[in-house]
Amino acid sequence: MADDLSDMGVVFWPVGTGDSTTIVVSENVVVQVDLHDLAKADDDANPEVPVVDRLVEALPTVGGRPYLAVFVLTHADKDHCLGFADLLDKVDIGELWATPRLWCEYEQADDDKLCEDARAFQTEAERRVRAVKKALEEGQEPASGDRVVVIGYDTDHDKHAYDELPEQYKSGPGKSITTLDRHPCAGRFEAFIHAPFAADCAAERNDTSVAMQVTLTETDGETGKILLLGDLAHETIMKIFTYSEKHDREHRLEWDVLLAPHHCSKKVMFLPQDGKDVLQKDIMDAFARHARDGALVVSSSGVIPSSDEPRKNPPHRKAADEYEDIVEELICTMEWPDADAPAPVVFAVDADGARVLREAAVPSPRAAAEAKALRHGRRLAIVASAAAAVGRDIAATRRQDSGGTDRIRAAITADRGANTVAPPPVGFGR
């Protein structure tokens, strides 16, 4: 299977309700967007699965150490950064992408407002700001492992050391990034930044999420476009659509895969009015306008229930229903292809186009080991296999549950009826 797998793509890991997205740009350039290490989650419903260890095994090595070109933290919620301190200890991370919100929150937050991993990320970001400034003062380029890019704007920017960084170490809405830890990736990788907006710098943490369109371009010119919108809700996402459409940037809104914002939250398309959830059709129309042929939605979340309960966290059935009205398929990471044995959602880009692979296309551990030995052009296979191992670990842990039956299958049976099974895996392509 490894021989048939593209060397470029995106892997959405099955990590419960949280985000762990790996972008394979080339054999040696890998980008990680957010992290949710289940071994560090304090939710009893999560199995003890060490996501970081699996990721470390899948990364390329430089100088005998695992190497990650870029780590992007969209925002500092637990379900987006758990395990970062462990990752930092085990991996050489060339470049961090951080938001100004973290500087303010780090200084002002009560002890319970930021988890330990968020604090570890911010401490590392501040260290890198100092390292970049020092290198530049000495007439040198910052070394890999010291680089940082600050994405966004804050009204208190002049109070923080990052404000003194040259513009090449800053980014924000309307700008593109094609260089990853000094690796020139133009024509192969582009991240177009949509948010956070300056006007939202004092908003709730979720509303300051990094949002971007990632475009992967294969040698023959085939492209795959992914919209990553963090935990943004209706108002901010609509600002993204409105602004880009007004300024003739419709191509910056196109998507083959939409990672459902905030783990398939209803706050994306429903607003409370008089005690009821009222659908905001404008945002669903906007998503639909910019979906490419065969587009699909990925919900990085636990099993989507058959109905919603008051004050329950995402995923929400209401949101899933709205997405299913505009695409042929919504894939939930903890149900793909089967809730008993979740596998990674692998979005590949190659000469045949952009497509989500069927489960059978994800390599076995043995095939991945062989691919790792071959090294060249097999990085996507290796990452996919690592994520598949996480799914198998989850399934094995649940089978050992003292209840004697799989908790997730029981939940599905209760929600959907005993005769209902998870949908079969299907792919798409052009």
Side-chain angles (χ1 to χ4, degrees):
M1 292 297 179
D3 288 337
D4 298 328
L5 200 59
S6 166
D7 64 348
M8 174 188 292
V10 182
V11 178
F12 301 94
W13 295 58
V15 291
T17 299
D19 279 357
S20 289
T21 304
T22 306
I23 304 171
V24 178
V25 180
S26 66
E27 176 65 12
N28 296 310
V29 179
V30 178
V31 176
Q32 183 68 26
V33 182
D34 293 330
L35 181 66
H36 189 223
D37 190 312
L38 294 174
K40 301 182 183 306
D42 55 8
D43 183 347
D44 290 339
N46 282 326
E48 296 291 310
V49 177
V51 174
V52 166
D53 290 347
R54 295 296 191 182
L55 179 59
V56 167
E57 294 168 1
L59 291 173
T61 56
V62 175
R65 288 266 297 174
Y67 168 68
L68 178 65
V70 177
F71 183 91
V72 184
L73 181 61
T74 59
H75 63 296
D77 278 353
K78 270 187 175 183
D79 53 355
H80 291 256
C81 66
L82 276 177
F84 176 78
D86 191 28
L87 182 71
L88 184 64
D89 180 59
K90 296 176 178 178
V91 171
D92 290 338
I93 304 175
E95 184 171 277
L96 291 187
W97 293 6
T99 64
R101 171 59 182 264
L102 288 168
W103 269 265
C104 292
E105 202 164 5
Y106 185 77
E107 293 179 351
Q108 300 172 5
D110 297 331
D111 289 343
D112 61 347
K113 289 290 183 68
L114 285 176
C115 68
E116 291 184 7
D117 283 296
R119 291 180 176 276
F121 180 92
Q122 187 57 24
T123 298
E124 175 65 8
E126 292 184 345
R127 183 198 70 78
R128 288 173 181 243
V129 168
R130 293 192 298 271
V132 169
K133 291 173 61 180
K134 184 175 184 295
L136 295 176
E137 288 169 359
E138 295 174 350
Q140 301 175 358
E141 287 294 326
S144 178
D146 286 340
R147 295 174 185 141
V148 64
V149 176
V150 180
I151 298 177
Y153 174 88
D154 188 86
T155 52
D156 292 332
H157 60 91
D158 56 350
K159 298 179 182 179
H160 303 288
Y162 71 79
D163 190 50
E164 301 172 13
L165 294 176
E167 288 304 307
Q168 69 193 83
Y169 299 98
K170 301 175 184 177
S171 190
K175 297 180 180 179
S176 289
I177 300 176
T178 59
T179 299
L180 303 170
D181 191 34
R182 290 286 189 265
H183 298 284
C185 298
R188 188 172 179 89
F189 169 94
E190 180 182 22
F192 180 83
I193 307 299
H194 281 295
F197 291 109
D200 295 325
C201 63
E204 292 296 320
R205 183 189 297 163
N206 286 351
D207 298 327
T208 65
S209 295
V210 173
M212 57 186 173
Q213 178 206 54
V214 172
T215 300
L216 298 176
T217 304
E218 201 270 338
T219 305
D220 292 336
E222 293 288 347
T223 62
K225 295 178 181 290
I226 308 97
L227 271 186
L228 302 173
L229 302 176
D231 279 3
L232 296 180
H234 175 270
E235 181 180 357
T236 307
I237 297 174
M238 277 309 301
K239 282 198 293 187
I240 289 173
F241 282 115
T242 301
Y243 188 88
S244 292
E245 289 176 343
K246 182 179 179 180
H247 291 81
D248 297 322
R249 292 176 177 168
E250 285 88 350
H251 63 293
R252 300 298 190 182
L253 301 169
E254 295 176 349
W255 55 280
D256 293 295
V257 175
L258 167 68
L259 182 60
H262 201 180
H263 323 293
C264 204
S265 170
K266 65 182 180 180
K267 290 183 178 180
V268 170
M269 71 289 289
F270 287 92
L271 294 179
Q273 294 180 15
D274 299 325
K276 296 181 179 180
D277 290 333
V278 179
L279 175 63
Q280 307 299 301
K281 196 170 183 297
D282 57 352
I283 196 165
M284 300 314 298
D285 289 343
F287 280 133
R289 278 196 303 275
H290 301 290
R292 302 174 88 189
D293 291 343
L296 57 80
V297 176
V298 172
S299 175
S300 186
S301 69
V303 172
I304 297 172
S306 61
S307 61
D308 296 323
E309 298 179 24
R311 295 178 293 280
K312 280 286 187 179
N313 290 328
H316 294 128
R317 181 72 258 170
K318 281 185 175 182
D321 288 343
E322 294 304 321
Y323 289 128
E324 288 173 342
D325 278 348
I326 66 168
V327 295
E328 294 181 2
E329 186 177 18
L330 166 71
I331 295 176
C332 172
T333 53
M334 292 303 291
E335 298 181 70
W336 172 260
D338 187 322
D340 280 337
V345 180
V346 183
F347 175 70
V349 182
D350 58 22
D352 293 328
R355 65 203 186 282
V356 166
L357 303 179
R358 297 173 183 270
E359 182 196 16
V362 177
S364 67
R366 178 178 178 181
E370 293 171 353
K372 194 167 186 177
L374 292 171
R375 300 309 255 172
H376 181 67
R378 300 294 183 268
R379 188 61 53 196
L380 184 62
I382 297 167
V383 174
S385 180
V390 167
R392 287 191 293 272
D393 289 347
I394 289 171
T397 301
R398 285 173 173 156
R399 282 194 294 271
Q400 296 169 8
D401 185 25
S402 60
T405 59
D406 185 87
R407 288 179 290 182
I408 288 299
R409 179 162 294 283
I412 291 176
T413 300
D415 277 342
R416 300 178 181 171
N419 295 325
T420 303
V421 296
V426 296
F428 73 98
R430 287 186 290 277

